[in-house]
Amino acid sequence: MTPTTITQAARFRALHRGTVLVLPNAWDAASAALIEAAGAQAIATTSAGVSWANGAPDAHGLSRQQMVAAVARIVSAVTVPVTADIEGGYGPGPDDVAATVRAVIEAGAVGVNLEDSPGPDGAPLLSPEDQARRIAAARAAAESAGVDLFVNARTDVYLFGVGAPGDRLADVETRARVYADAGADGLFVPGLLDLDAITRLAGGPLPLNVMAGPGAPPVGELAAAGVARVSVGSAIAQSAYGYAARAASELLGGGTYTALANGLDYGALNTVFP
């Protein structure tokens, strides 16, 4: 593995200590370069945005090869560390996860999000023990590659409303302990915005990642609750595509161009790449 990847891995891990790490998620090389130019200290990909940009639905619509190619393009467009959303690992078993981790490390990523949702078919979440084996496989694959990969263990208990509402926090706490013992470095709980529950989870064994967006507490309040990392998932990609849809509708419907008035300057965008 290259010295650059090893250095970036150490740099990314250090960003989880101290000030809250804010990650506006990217989905292609241009969005990543613009996010870095805005001041981001690292780039996180969004599987939904990457999938849409490649003509596929989210939730395992992409192949491993397509996702890795997108990650490689993003890595080449920025100078900051990149962490890749690898969804469920592109296969159910630990060997599948290990193969994906090796591939994204080869592409230059120094972190991954690995979720305990098995796919889009409505199946229940993987058991904590089954997911722990997959996390351990990710850790072993990274160690074999010589990279101190940051493994962000995502649980979809809140996102999918698994179990009775009163039982969800305890379920996540159990998963956090099991995932930490398996080698996870962080806990990602999309769908959770309650500050009391967030504060409780932030005091657990893993640094907490919250997915924010419209209606969520501001970053400052999340940081005060102990959150280590704030990301926004597909929200920026959705906003960009929403803008494209509105501009196209205006042009095709009324023949006017108002929505095109606030785009980025051509020269500024064209020179964002090295």
Side-chain angles (χ1 to χ4, degrees), residues 36-246:
E36 180 183 21
Q41 296 179 286
I43 298 294
T45 70
T46 159
S47 68
V50 172
S51 297
W52 299 332
N54 284 273
D58 188 27
H60 306 266
L62 280 185
S63 68
R64 177 188 294 129
Q65 292 75 16
Q66 289 173 304
M67 183 277 298
V68 170
V71 170
R73 289 191 293 271
I74 288 170
V75 170
S76 68
V78 299
T79 63
V80 294
V82 173
T83 180
D85 182 349
I86 63 170
E87 303 188 76
Y90 300 94
D95 289 346
D96 300 305
V97 174
T100 299
V101 165
R102 288 191 292 268
V104 294
I105 289 175
E106 185 65 28
V110 294
V112 295
N113 277 6
L114 178 63
E115 61 197 50
D116 54 16
S117 174
D121 59 358
L125 300 189
L126 295 167
S127 71
E129 294 74 21
D130 284 344
Q131 181 66 354
R133 284 187 279 273
R134 287 155 39 86
I135 291 169
R139 171 62 57 216
E143 290 177 353
S144 296
V147 174
D148 191 14
L149 186 79
F150 194 99
V151 179
N152 204 31
R154 168 175 153 172
T155 180
D156 285 339
V157 169
Y158 278 92
L159 186 64
F160 292 159
V162 175
D167 296 336
R168 288 171 192 160
L169 183 56
D171 186 356
V172 172
E173 288 179 314
T174 296
R175 288 176 182 272
R177 290 190 295 270
V178 174
Y179 296 170
D181 289 344
D185 300 293
L187 178 68
F188 182 28
V189 191
L192 174 63
L193 295 175
D194 178 78
L195 282 175
D196 289 338
I198 286 171
T199 301
R200 183 164 149 181
L201 288 174
L206 294 169
L208 182 63
N209 181 179
V210 168
M211 185 170 73
V219 170
E221 291 184 17
L222 293 172
V227 173
R229 174 167 155 177
V230 177
S231 53
V232 294
S234 62
I236 296 177
Q238 288 176 256
S239 295
Y241 289 131
Y243 195 94
R246 289 190 296 274

